[in-house]
Amino acid sequence: MIGKVYLVGAGPGDARLITIKGKECIEKADAVVYDRLASPRLLRWMKPGAEKVYVGKLPDRHTMKQEEINQLLVDLALTGKTVVRLKGGDPTIFGRVGEEAELLYRHGIAFEIVPGITSSISVPAYAGIPVTHRDLASSLSIITGHESPDKLDRMIQWDKVTNATGTLIFMMGVAKIGYISRQLIAHGRPPETPVALVRWGTRAEQDTITGTLADIEEIVKVANFQPPAVIVVGEVVLQREHLKWAEQLPLFGKRILVTRARSQASQLVSRIEDLGGEPYEFPVIETVMPTSSLDISEIHQALDKLNQYDWVFFTSVNGVDFFFHHLNESGKDIRALAGARIAAVGPATAGALRERGIAAEMLKERYQAEGLVDAFGPELKAGQQILLPRGDLGRSWLPEELTRMGLHVTDIKTYETVLCGEDDDELLKLFEEGGIHAVTFTSSSTVTNLLRVLERMAGDAHTPLELLRDSTVACIGPLTAETAREAGLNVSIMAEEATIESLVDALCEWNKDEPRRHRD
C-alpha cells in the first residue's frame, strides 16, 4: 500500500502560527521531514513512534540537496507511511513545493499542499510593519533575493518591479542587500526610501535593523547582521516606530526551558507565550501510578478509614489528582471525609481541590511543608489522625514533625515521579549556541533529572554544567534552589512565592535588565 504526503506550511517560526490542519497532519504522520526553518516545537505533536527526519545542515554534513529531499519523500511514501514535509512559512512561496509535488505525482503518490502563514507578511508584522497601509501602500511584491546578482538580473525585471507596487518584500536577500539597493535606486526608487531587515521573525532570536536604500548596506555590515531575514522596502517601514508591539512584551527575545511534567506544564508555557517569550518544553519528570504492591496496599487501607481522619494535608496538585484517582478507582465517597479539615499548600493545590467542590483551608504564605505547621500548629492536638497523600519523593520532615507533636500520621504514596526526557539534538544544539536563555525548575526532581538527561545526551562532549553555564537558572522556591546550588548551578532567579505566577513575574523582572534587540 502506498502512503500519502502532506506538504505543510509550518509558518514563520512561532509554533502557534501553524494552521489547525497543519497540526492535524503532524499528529497523524508516520514520518515528519523538516529543516531549520520549521520550529522544532511542532514535533511535540507527533504520535509515539513516528519517525523524525532532519534534512537541514548538521556539523558532519551539508544541507540535503533538494533532489535528495524529493526522492526521500517518495521513498517514505512507497513504504506505506503517511508523510509530512514541514516547510517554513508557506510552501508555495519560494518553498520549492512544486518540485516535490511533481515527483510525487510522477510516482503516483497522493499528496496535499497545506498552506501556511508566509513569513513574507508575518515576520514584518511581528516587527511592527504592516506590509500594506491605506495611506502608504496599497500593493506589494514578494521577490526572491537568494540568488547571485547575475541570476537576480535574469529573474527580476528591475525596471518593472522597482515601482510596480508600494511595498517590496525580498526573501533571503541579506547577503545581496547592497546589490538590491543599488538596483532599486538605479531604476527609480529614491535613495531615502525606508528599508527594514527582520531576522528570525516571530522567534526568540527576532532582530530588526532599519535604514534607507542609501545606507542600509553599510548598516548591515557594521551590525554584522546575518541571515535568514525578510527585507521590507517602502514607506510602511516607518510604521514600525509606533507599532513594534512584540518587542514591548516583557519576555521578548527569551527562549525559556520548561522542565516540569508535560501534564503540568501548560500554565507555565502559556504564560511565557502570552508575555512574548518562547517556551521550549522538555519535561524531565513524569508522574505515574505507584507500582509497589506495598504502596498500593497502604493506599487501600487509608481509604478504608476515611471517616477516622481529623486532617487531610494536600501538598501539591499531583497529590490531589492522584488521591481522587484512587478514590474513584476504589469506589469510595469523598463525603466520608466530612469530619476532617482539609488544608492545601499553595493556591494551585487549593484550586485543584476547588475544582472538585472542596474549599480547602489555604496557607497565606510560605507555600511548603513548614508552612502547614506554622499555620495550623496551635490547632493540631496530640492524638489526632492526619492523612498525608503525596508522592514518593516527598520530604520526610513533615510526617516526622507531626509525629513528634504527638499526631498519628498516615503517609501514603499516591504517585511516583519517574525520569523521562527523550534525546533532543535540537535542545543540545541550542545549549551549545547559547540559545536557551533561562531554565526553569519547579521541583528538586526537575533539577536532578535534567542533569541526568543532559549527561546522557551530551556524552563525552560536554558536562551538564558546561551546557547550562550560559543559561540563567530560575527556581520556584528555596528547596528547589538549594538542590540546584548543591548540584553546582548558579541560581539567579527565585520566585517570591512558590507559585507559577510568581516564577513568571520573577522572569519578567529579570528580563527588564537584559539588552533588547532592536537597533532603530
Side-chain angles (χ1 to χ4, degrees):
M1 180 178 176
I2 298 176
K4 183 172 182 177
V5 178
Y6 294 89
L7 304 161
V8 177
D14 184 334
R16 294 171 298 169
L17 294 179
I18 195 169
T19 64
I20 293 174
K21 183 168 183 178
K23 178 176 180 288
E24 291 172 348
C25 291
I26 295 171
E27 290 171 337
K28 65 184 178 183
D30 300 310
V32 175
V33 179
Y34 69 104
D35 54 38
R36 70 170 185 159
L37 293 181
S39 170
R41 289 185 59 214
L42 298 173
L43 304 181
R44 74 182 189 273
W45 291 319
M46 293 174 63
K47 64 186 180 184
E51 183 181 0
K52 302 174 185 176
V53 185
Y54 180 68
V55 294
K57 188 173 183 179
L58 289 172
D60 58 346
R61 68 166 171 81
H62 294 294
T63 306
M64 187 179 288
K65 294 179 180 178
Q66 184 61 49
E67 294 76 12
E68 296 172 328
I69 296 174
N70 300 346
Q71 189 59 49
L72 173 64
L73 298 178
V74 169
D75 294 342
L76 289 169
L78 289 177
T79 65
K81 294 180 183 292
T82 297
V83 183
V84 165
R85 168 66 168 119
L86 273 181
K87 305 175 74 67
D90 179 273
T92 65
I93 298 183
F94 305 127
R96 305 184 76 168
V97 73
E99 299 171 42
E100 295 173 350
E102 184 179 355
L103 191 62
L104 294 169
Y105 170 77
R106 294 210 314 259
H107 282 81
I109 297 170
F111 64 88
E112 289 187 28
I113 298 175
V114 181
I117 297 177
T118 172
S119 55
S120 60
I121 294 171
S122 56
V123 165
Y126 266 58
I129 303 171
V131 294
T132 64
H133 188 282
R134 184 173 63 175
D135 299 325
L136 303 174
S138 58
S139 58
L140 71 147
S141 298
I142 303 173
I143 309 157
T144 181
H146 191 51
E147 303 289 355
S148 60
D150 62 326
K151 193 171 182 181
L152 282 176
D153 288 344
R154 292 198 304 271
M155 297 177 66
I156 300 171
Q157 294 178 297
W158 292 104
D159 58 331
K160 294 181 173 60
V161 165
T162 300
N163 296 296
T165 59
T167 303
L168 305 179
I169 305 289
F170 288 88
M171 306 292 289
M172 308 291 287
V174 177
K176 314 297 187 305
I177 185 62
Y179 185 79
I180 291 170
S181 298
R182 288 189 291 274
Q183 286 292 78
L184 294 177
I185 292 172
H187 289 87
R189 280 276 170 133
E192 62 272 18
T193 301
V195 182
L197 282 76
V198 188
R199 180 179 187 270
W200 283 123
T202 81
R203 295 180 49 146
E205 293 86 359
Q206 179 174 319
D207 196 3
T208 303
I209 200 167
T210 60
T212 66
L213 287 176
D215 62 17
I216 193 65
E217 180 180 20
E218 183 61 23
I219 292 172
V220 167
K221 286 180 180 178
V222 170
N224 191 29
F225 198 83
Q226 298 296 316
V230 173
I231 302 169
V232 188
V233 179
E235 297 301 315
V236 292
V237 170
L238 300 178
Q239 292 292 301
R240 172 172 160 73
E241 182 179 352
H242 307 291
L243 305 183
K244 48 188 176 186
W245 60 274
E247 291 154 41
Q248 311 307 318
L249 295 173
L251 289 178
F252 170 78
K254 292 297 179 286
R255 182 178 291 107
I256 300 170
L257 191 70
V258 177
T259 57
R260 71 186 328 210
R262 195 177 300 281
S263 60
Q264 290 187 300
S266 59
Q267 182 189 1
L268 180 54
V269 167
S270 178
R271 290 297 292 140
I272 291 170
E273 288 177 329
D274 289 345
L275 295 168
E278 182 181 319
Y280 195 108
E281 292 181 71
F282 187 68
V284 295
I285 61 171
E286 183 180 358
T287 52
V288 298
M289 294 287 282
T291 54
S292 163
S293 57
L294 177 60
D295 290 339
I296 295 171
S297 175
E298 290 177 347
I299 292 169
H300 290 160
Q301 291 175 30
L303 295 179
D304 284 339
K305 56 176 186 177
L306 289 179
N307 59 356
Q308 299 179 23
Y309 296 109
D310 300 291
W311 294 85
V312 183
F313 288 155
F314 288 100
T315 58
S316 69
V317 173
N318 280 329
V320 174
D321 291 342
F322 279 91
F323 173 79
F324 276 87
H325 184 83
H326 291 295
L327 194 70
N328 292 333
E329 266 198 348
S330 64
K332 303 295 183 183
D333 193 324
I334 191 62
R335 287 175 294 181
L337 284 173
R341 293 175 65 178
I342 299 177
V345 175
T349 306
L353 287 165
R354 170 62 75 178
E355 290 175 1
R356 293 170 170 86
I358 298 173
E361 300 180 56
M362 192 181 77
L363 307 186
K364 292 183 171 56
E365 54 187 29
R366 205 178 183 197
Y367 301 144
Q368 56 192 69
E370 289 81 352
L372 282 169
V373 176
D374 292 343
F376 302 111
E379 301 173 74
L380 298 174
K381 307 299 182 184
Q384 288 181 328
Q385 296 283 340
I386 308 286
L387 178 61
L388 188 58
R390 56 188 193 147
D392 62 323
L393 300 183
R395 291 186 299 141
S396 62
W397 183 89
L398 182 57
E400 289 175 355
E401 180 63 15
L402 294 172
T403 301
R404 188 192 65 76
M405 295 169 63
L407 293 103
H408 301 294
V409 181
T410 301
D411 183 12
I412 53 173
K413 298 177 179 61
T414 56
Y415 65 93
E416 295 177 0
T417 302
V418 298
L419 172 70
C420 68
E422 297 179 358
D423 285 1
D424 187 332
D425 292 337
E426 180 67 22
L427 178 60
L428 204 58
K429 179 182 174 185
L430 286 171
F431 270 123
E432 292 170 344
E433 297 175 349
I436 298 294
H437 306 108
V439 178
T440 59
F441 294 117
T442 55
S443 66
S444 292
S445 56
T446 59
V447 177
T448 55
N449 283 8
L450 178 64
L451 294 176
R452 288 170 63 188
V453 173
L454 290 180
E455 184 175 23
R456 184 191 71 213
M457 284 169 50
D460 296 330
H462 303 280
T463 68
L465 294 182
E466 287 173 344
L467 291 172
L468 291 164
R469 181 173 49 207
D470 296 328
S471 301
T472 297
V473 173
C475 294
I476 200 168
L479 297 176
T480 304
E482 181 182 352
T483 302
R485 292 190 184 102
E486 288 175 352
L489 297 173
N490 179 27
V491 178
S492 303
I493 300 172
M494 192 168 75
E496 288 189 11
E497 297 178 344
T499 65
I500 293 299
E501 197 60 43
S502 183
L503 179 61
V504 171
D505 289 344
L507 287 166
C508 292
E509 193 64 31
W510 155 72
N511 199 34
K512 282 183 181 178
D513 301 323
E514 293 288 297
R516 295 297 182 103
R517 279 194 303 276
H518 50 84
R519 320 181 200 206
D520 306 86

PDB file of all heavy atoms in Angstrom, residues 88-97 116 118-121 142 171:
ATOM      1  N   GLY A  88       9.140  25.866   6.129  1.00  0.00           N
ATOM      2  CA  GLY A  88       8.964  27.154   6.773  1.00  0.00           C
ATOM      3  C   GLY A  88       8.062  28.083   5.975  1.00  0.00           C
ATOM      4  O   GLY A  88       8.069  28.085   4.745  1.00  0.00           O
ATOM      5  N   GLY A  89       7.228  28.864   6.701  1.00  0.00           N
ATOM      6  CA  GLY A  89       6.331  29.804   6.038  1.00  0.00           C
ATOM      7  C   GLY A  89       5.242  29.086   5.266  1.00  0.00           C
ATOM      8  O   GLY A  89       4.607  28.153   5.756  1.00  0.00           O
ATOM      9  N   ASP A  90       5.019  29.508   4.034  1.00  0.00           N
ATOM     10  CA  ASP A  90       4.053  28.856   3.142  1.00  0.00           C
ATOM     11  C   ASP A  90       4.832  28.076   2.092  1.00  0.00           C
ATOM     12  O   ASP A  90       5.784  28.603   1.500  1.00  0.00           O
ATOM     13  CB  ASP A  90       3.164  29.899   2.464  1.00  0.00           C
ATOM     14  CG  ASP A  90       2.167  29.257   1.515  1.00  0.00           C
ATOM     15  OD1 ASP A  90       2.525  29.035   0.342  1.00  0.00           O
ATOM     16  OD2 ASP A  90       1.049  28.966   1.966  1.00  0.00           O
ATOM     17  N   PRO A  91       4.448  26.831   1.829  1.00  0.00           N
ATOM     18  CA  PRO A  91       5.254  26.009   0.917  1.00  0.00           C
ATOM     19  C   PRO A  91       5.257  26.485  -0.521  1.00  0.00           C
ATOM     20  O   PRO A  91       6.146  26.115  -1.295  1.00  0.00           O
ATOM     21  CB  PRO A  91       4.605  24.624   1.036  1.00  0.00           C
ATOM     22  CG  PRO A  91       3.212  24.877   1.502  1.00  0.00           C
ATOM     23  CD  PRO A  91       3.298  26.086   2.374  1.00  0.00           C
ATOM     24  N   THR A  92       4.285  27.320  -0.917  1.00  0.00           N
ATOM     25  CA  THR A  92       4.213  27.744  -2.317  1.00  0.00           C
ATOM     26  C   THR A  92       4.975  29.041  -2.592  1.00  0.00           C
ATOM     27  O   THR A  92       5.074  29.464  -3.735  1.00  0.00           O
ATOM     28  CB  THR A  92       2.744  27.943  -2.738  1.00  0.00           C
ATOM     29  OG1 THR A  92       2.174  29.031  -1.993  1.00  0.00           O
ATOM     30  CG2 THR A  92       1.928  26.692  -2.486  1.00  0.00           C
ATOM     31  N   ILE A  93       5.501  29.665  -1.548  1.00  0.00           N
ATOM     32  CA  ILE A  93       6.255  30.916  -1.739  1.00  0.00           C
ATOM     33  C   ILE A  93       7.732  30.620  -1.534  1.00  0.00           C
ATOM     34  O   ILE A  93       8.224  30.516  -0.404  1.00  0.00           O
ATOM     35  CB  ILE A  93       5.763  32.017  -0.787  1.00  0.00           C
ATOM     36  CG1 ILE A  93       4.298  32.335  -1.085  1.00  0.00           C
ATOM     37  CG2 ILE A  93       6.624  33.275  -0.922  1.00  0.00           C
ATOM     38  CD1 ILE A  93       3.711  33.450  -0.264  1.00  0.00           C
ATOM     39  N   PHE A  94       8.432  30.440  -2.634  1.00  0.00           N
ATOM     40  CA  PHE A  94       9.856  30.101  -2.648  1.00  0.00           C
ATOM     41  C   PHE A  94      10.154  28.873  -1.795  1.00  0.00           C
ATOM     42  O   PHE A  94      11.232  28.764  -1.219  1.00  0.00           O
ATOM     43  CB  PHE A  94      10.700  31.302  -2.200  1.00  0.00           C
ATOM     44  CG  PHE A  94      10.427  32.546  -3.001  1.00  0.00           C
ATOM     45  CD1 PHE A  94      10.099  33.736  -2.368  1.00  0.00           C
ATOM     46  CD2 PHE A  94      10.467  32.538  -4.380  1.00  0.00           C
ATOM     47  CE1 PHE A  94       9.818  34.888  -3.104  1.00  0.00           C
ATOM     48  CE2 PHE A  94      10.195  33.675  -5.120  1.00  0.00           C
ATOM     49  CZ  PHE A  94       9.861  34.851  -4.480  1.00  0.00           C
ATOM     50  N   GLY A  95       9.194  27.953  -1.693  1.00  0.00           N
ATOM     51  CA  GLY A  95       9.380  26.746  -0.902  1.00  0.00           C
ATOM     52  C   GLY A  95       9.699  25.524  -1.730  1.00  0.00           C
ATOM     53  O   GLY A  95       9.825  24.433  -1.193  1.00  0.00           O
ATOM     54  N   ARG A  96       9.766  25.677  -3.052  1.00  0.00           N
ATOM     55  CA  ARG A  96      10.099  24.591  -3.968  1.00  0.00           C
ATOM     56  C   ARG A  96       9.124  23.414  -3.849  1.00  0.00           C
ATOM     57  O   ARG A  96       9.468  22.263  -4.118  1.00  0.00           O
ATOM     58  CB  ARG A  96      11.545  24.127  -3.756  1.00  0.00           C
ATOM     59  CG  ARG A  96      12.533  25.268  -3.865  1.00  0.00           C
ATOM     60  CD  ARG A  96      13.977  24.853  -3.759  1.00  0.00           C
ATOM     61  NE  ARG A  96      14.459  24.236  -4.986  1.00  0.00           N
ATOM     62  CZ  ARG A  96      15.753  23.996  -5.229  1.00  0.00           C
ATOM     63  NH1 ARG A  96      16.663  24.343  -4.335  1.00  0.00           N
ATOM     64  NH2 ARG A  96      16.112  23.421  -6.339  1.00  0.00           N
ATOM     65  N   VAL A  97       7.903  23.744  -3.410  1.00  0.00           N
ATOM     66  CA  VAL A  97       6.913  22.683  -3.250  1.00  0.00           C
ATOM     67  C   VAL A  97       6.524  22.078  -4.599  1.00  0.00           C
ATOM     68  O   VAL A  97       6.169  20.899  -4.688  1.00  0.00           O
ATOM     69  CB  VAL A  97       5.668  23.222  -2.509  1.00  0.00           C
ATOM     70  CG1 VAL A  97       4.835  24.130  -3.407  1.00  0.00           C
ATOM     71  CG2 VAL A  97       4.796  22.071  -2.010  1.00  0.00           C
ATOM     72  N   GLY A 116       0.511  27.621   4.578  1.00  0.00           N
ATOM     73  CA  GLY A 116       0.964  28.114   5.881  1.00  0.00           C
ATOM     74  C   GLY A 116       1.001  29.624   5.885  1.00  0.00           C
ATOM     75  O   GLY A 116       0.823  30.275   4.853  1.00  0.00           O
ATOM     76  N   THR A 118       2.739  32.798   5.563  1.00  0.00           N
ATOM     77  CA  THR A 118       4.017  33.136   4.936  1.00  0.00           C
ATOM     78  C   THR A 118       4.815  34.133   5.770  1.00  0.00           C
ATOM     79  O   THR A 118       4.272  35.102   6.300  1.00  0.00           O
ATOM     80  CB  THR A 118       3.805  33.693   3.521  1.00  0.00           C
ATOM     81  OG1 THR A 118       5.063  34.186   3.030  1.00  0.00           O
ATOM     82  CG2 THR A 118       2.802  34.838   3.512  1.00  0.00           C
ATOM     83  N   SER A 119       6.113  33.894   5.843  1.00  0.00           N
ATOM     84  CA  SER A 119       6.993  34.791   6.594  1.00  0.00           C
ATOM     85  C   SER A 119       7.116  36.150   5.914  1.00  0.00           C
ATOM     86  O   SER A 119       7.486  37.136   6.558  1.00  0.00           O
ATOM     87  CB  SER A 119       8.376  34.153   6.764  1.00  0.00           C
ATOM     88  OG  SER A 119       8.917  33.788   5.509  1.00  0.00           O
ATOM     89  N   SER A 120       6.785  36.216   4.622  1.00  0.00           N
ATOM     90  CA  SER A 120       6.896  37.495   3.917  1.00  0.00           C
ATOM     91  C   SER A 120       5.948  38.546   4.481  1.00  0.00           C
ATOM     92  O   SER A 120       6.197  39.747   4.351  1.00  0.00           O
ATOM     93  CB  SER A 120       6.608  37.289   2.424  1.00  0.00           C
ATOM     94  OG  SER A 120       5.295  36.781   2.240  1.00  0.00           O
ATOM     95  N   ILE A 121       4.877  38.111   5.118  1.00  0.00           N
ATOM     96  CA  ILE A 121       3.895  39.027   5.700  1.00  0.00           C
ATOM     97  C   ILE A 121       3.950  39.002   7.226  1.00  0.00           C
ATOM     98  O   ILE A 121       3.903  40.039   7.887  1.00  0.00           O
ATOM     99  CB  ILE A 121       2.478  38.666   5.210  1.00  0.00           C
ATOM    100  CG1 ILE A 121       2.376  38.904   3.696  1.00  0.00           C
ATOM    101  CG2 ILE A 121       1.410  39.459   5.944  1.00  0.00           C
ATOM    102  CD1 ILE A 121       1.097  38.389   3.085  1.00  0.00           C
ATOM    103  N   ILE A 142       6.428  40.195  -3.725  1.00  0.00           N
ATOM    104  CA  ILE A 142       7.299  39.287  -2.982  1.00  0.00           C
ATOM    105  C   ILE A 142       8.326  38.741  -3.956  1.00  0.00           C
ATOM    106  O   ILE A 142       7.970  38.115  -4.959  1.00  0.00           O
ATOM    107  CB  ILE A 142       6.489  38.150  -2.336  1.00  0.00           C
ATOM    108  CG1 ILE A 142       5.404  38.730  -1.423  1.00  0.00           C
ATOM    109  CG2 ILE A 142       7.404  37.225  -1.546  1.00  0.00           C
ATOM    110  CD1 ILE A 142       4.455  37.682  -0.869  1.00  0.00           C
ATOM    111  N   MET A 171      12.910  38.059  -0.058  1.00  0.00           N
ATOM    112  CA  MET A 171      13.117  36.907   0.821  1.00  0.00           C
ATOM    113  C   MET A 171      14.553  36.417   0.719  1.00  0.00           C
ATOM    114  O   MET A 171      15.076  36.216  -0.375  1.00  0.00           O
ATOM    115  CB  MET A 171      12.154  35.780   0.427  1.00  0.00           C
ATOM    116  CG  MET A 171      10.681  36.204   0.391  1.00  0.00           C
ATOM    117  SD  MET A 171      10.027  36.573   2.018  1.00  0.00           S
ATOM    118  CE  MET A 171       9.962  34.918   2.691  1.00  0.00           C
TER     119      MET A 171
END
